[in-house]
Structures are given as C-alpha cells and as structure tokens.
C-alpha cells in the first residue's frame, strides 16, 4: 500500500544521508518530493532523476535553510512547481563539535542558525498554506543529543533541544487546524555526519546500544513515513526516539 500517494513533500538537506533516505522512501510511497541542498549540486541532481524514475514529481533546489528570505522564496517556488505542500521535513543540519572551552562564538552561532533557526524559517514559510487547507504534517529532525546532551556538542545539543521545544509549541498552536508537528530523535545513524567520528568511539557506542547496531537511513525514513502519513493522524507534539534503545 502506498501511504503518501499524490502528497507534496518538502525535505531540507536531502542531497545525502538521512534526507536522501527519506526522499527515496517517500517517492516509493507515491509522494512528490521537493528537496534542498547546500552545496552538493551533482548528487542532488542525480537524486532528482532517481526519484523521477520512480514515477513521481521531484525537484532539487539550492537553498540555505538558515536564511529566512531564501526559505520563503523556496516555498513560493515549490508552490508554483508542485501546486501544494502537505508535509514539511526539517532535516538539514550540521555539526561543529568542540569542548566549550575551545568553541568559537561563530561555531555556536552557525550551528544554531542552520539547525534551529532553519526550522523557524521553513515552518513559518509553509504555515499559511497548511492553515488554508486545514491539514499538514511537520517533522523536525532532532537528535538523542538534544534529549540527553553530549560532551563536545553544546552547540549541537542546544540546537536539537531547541527543536523539541519548537515542535511542542507548534503542535499546541496549530493542532486545532489539524496540523500536526512531531520530532524524531535519531540515535547513531551511519551517514557522512557520523563517518567523521573516531572508530573507537563509534564501536563503544554500538556496544552500548540495546539493538547492538547503528541505525540506517531507512530506519529514520520509515519513522518519517509513519509521522507524515495518516497512520499517525492522532499523533502530535511527540518526540519519537529512533535509536535502537540508546535512551532506554
Ligand atoms: P549529512 O549526511 O551531513 O547531510 C546533511 C544534509 O544537510 C546534506 O544534504 C546537506 O547538503 C544539508 N545541509 C547542510 N547545511 C545546509 C543548509 N545550510 N541549508 C540546506 N541544507 C543544508 O547529515 P545526516 O547524518 O544525514 O543528518 C541529517 C539530519 O539528522 C541532521 O539534522 C542531523 O543533525 C540529524 N541527525 C543525524 C544523526 C546521525 O547519526 N547521522 C543522528 C541524530 C540526528 P549538502 O550535501 O549540499 O552539504
């Protein structure tokens, strides 16, 4: 059964990693996919073709999620190109890790702007459209680090915890119009973001995960599929941990 037949979806940061996995799964479920990238033009255009080959409408847009005006322009273009928006996935994110002692102000600000301010930018930009149709699902890609903190990631943890507060507040503001807003807190997912980590540290994490493995992009995409589709019609304001039991 295709769960998102004919739905129009925007995913930020889908040129690789988790965003790409979500785009592929959603296209297999019949969704038309508008997605963004920051600098990976080649992989983004390749993904656009791959998605179209699945028989859906798809388009890659270069857009900086940290920019309020670029986000507003993006949403206008997507409305022109796709004719509507049903689901927004705020997935774009970066890390700039360091101990607080060594963290530069710029590295704190950049992570907050790309990971958290972006969620405000994009949610505000789609809000009017979702309100008019009295239906919509917004999914924010937080992290276990936003729930429990992590040494060396004060900037990242603050951004991901901020997303959770934002998610719950939007759920309260827009619930009466049948617009749902949930967050996903992935654990350790094997992508380019985590490939930068020391293998010894990673091995230690894997051993500490009750399911004894790192997560895949499909694991996160399937959770997004649930939250985007009517299967979760009565779920809002929640944080879904997809972490192999890491936070248990
Ligand atoms: P990734 O492989 O590094 O991919 C990041 C994506 O975000 C890329 O498509 C990148 O585009 C895009 N991006 C970066 N800055 C952007 C900007 N300013 N505007 C628009 N797009 C931008 O990361 P990932 O592992 O897939 O992570 C995806 C999300 O899941 C992030 O929010 C991350 O914090 C969260 N998460 C990941 C893990 C994990 O273990 N991997 C765990 C918890 C949460 P370019 O390719 O053009 O640079």
């Amino acid at each position: 059964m295709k769960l998102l037949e004919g739905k129009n979806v925007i995913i930020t940061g889908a040129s690789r990693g988790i965003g790409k996995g979500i785009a592929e799964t959603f296209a297999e479920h019949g969704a038309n996919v508008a997605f963004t990238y920051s600098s990976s033009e080649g992989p983004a255009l390749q993904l656009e073709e791959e998605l179209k080959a699945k028989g859906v409408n798809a388009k890659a847009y270069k857009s900086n999620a940290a920019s309020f005006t670029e986000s507003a322009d993006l949403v206008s273009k997507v409305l022109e190109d796709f004719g509507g928006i049903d689901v927004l996935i705020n997935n774009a994110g970066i890390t700039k890790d360091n101990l607080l002692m060594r963290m530069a102000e710029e590295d704190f600000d950049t992570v907050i702007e790309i990971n958290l301010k972006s969620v405000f930018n994009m949610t505000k930009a789609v809000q009017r459209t979702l309100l008019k149709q009295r239906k919509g699902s917004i999914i924010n890609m937080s992290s276990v680090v936003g729930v429990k903190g992590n040494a060396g990631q004060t900037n990242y943890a603050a951004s991901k915890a901020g997303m959770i507060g934002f998610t719950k507040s939007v759920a309260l503001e827009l619930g009466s119009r049948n617009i749902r807003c949930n967050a996903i807190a992935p654990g350790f997912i094997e992508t380019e973001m985590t490939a930068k980590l020391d293998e010894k540290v990673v091995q230690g994490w894997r051993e500490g995960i009750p399911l004894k493995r790192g997560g895949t992009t499909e694991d996160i995409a399937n959770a997004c599929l649930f939250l985007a589709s009517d299967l979760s019609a009565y779920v809002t304001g929640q944080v879904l941990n997809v972490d192999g039991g890491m936070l248990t």
Side-chain angles (χ1 to χ4, degrees), residues 15-216:
S15 42
R16 53 197 165 90
I18 291 173
K20 182 180 181 199
I22 299 167
E24 289 167 339
T25 297
F26 276 30
E28 275 153 26
H29 278 269
N32 301 312
V33 183
F35 67 95
T36 69
Y37 63 95
S38 167
S39 57
S40 306
E41 186 176 35
L45 294 177
Q46 210 176 319
L47 178 64
E48 180 182 308
E49 291 311 312
E50 187 200 315
L51 299 176
K52 282 182 182 160
K54 294 182 196 290
V56 299
N57 190 5
K59 191 161 172 154
Y61 301 83
K62 180 174 166 62
S63 179
N64 178 7
S67 160
F68 186 77
T69 49
E70 281 188 38
S71 300
D73 289 350
L74 166 75
V75 168
S76 302
K77 280 187 212 143
V78 171
L79 283 170
E80 263 176 43
D81 295 342
F82 288 70
I85 295 166
D86 301 289
V87 177
L88 165 66
I89 304 192
N90 286 309
N91 169 76
I94 61 159
T95 52
K96 283 192 181 287
D97 299 350
N98 222 329
L99 293 174
L100 182 58
M101 187 85 81
R102 296 198 203 106
M103 189 174 290
E105 181 186 5
E106 192 193 344
D107 288 347
F108 189 87
D109 290 347
T110 306
V111 168
I112 295 292
E113 277 171 22
I114 295 180
N115 294 7
L116 179 59
K117 170 82 184 323
S118 61
V119 180
F120 166 78
N121 295 340
M122 287 299 298
T123 307
K124 199 155 160 75
V126 300
Q127 182 179 215
R128 194 182 295 270
T129 302
L130 301 187
L131 282 172
K132 265 201 235 158
Q133 70 201 22
R134 290 187 165 260
K135 191 167 184 186
S137 174
I138 301 166
I139 301 168
N140 295 325
M141 203 56 69
S142 179
S143 167
V144 289
V145 169
V147 180
K148 76 174 189 58
N150 195 25
Q153 289 196 307
T154 47
N155 51 359
Y156 184 77
S159 72
K160 295 298 177 180
M163 284 172 87
I164 293 174
F166 186 91
T167 299
K168 289 177 185 282
S169 304
V170 170
L172 292 171
E173 281 191 28
L174 304 184
S176 64
R177 308 290 183 94
N178 197 28
I179 297 163
R180 301 182 295 106
C181 185
N182 292 286
I184 292 182
F188 172 71
I189 311 301
E190 310 216 7
T191 67
E192 278 178 44
M193 183 177 272
T194 46
K196 295 185 232 165
L197 299 167
D198 183 80
E199 185 48 37
K200 268 193 200 147
V201 175
V202 169
Q203 195 47 39
W205 282 0
R206 278 201 199 96
E207 281 160 19
I209 296 170
L211 289 182
K212 299 292 172 209
R213 66 169 178 90
T216 64

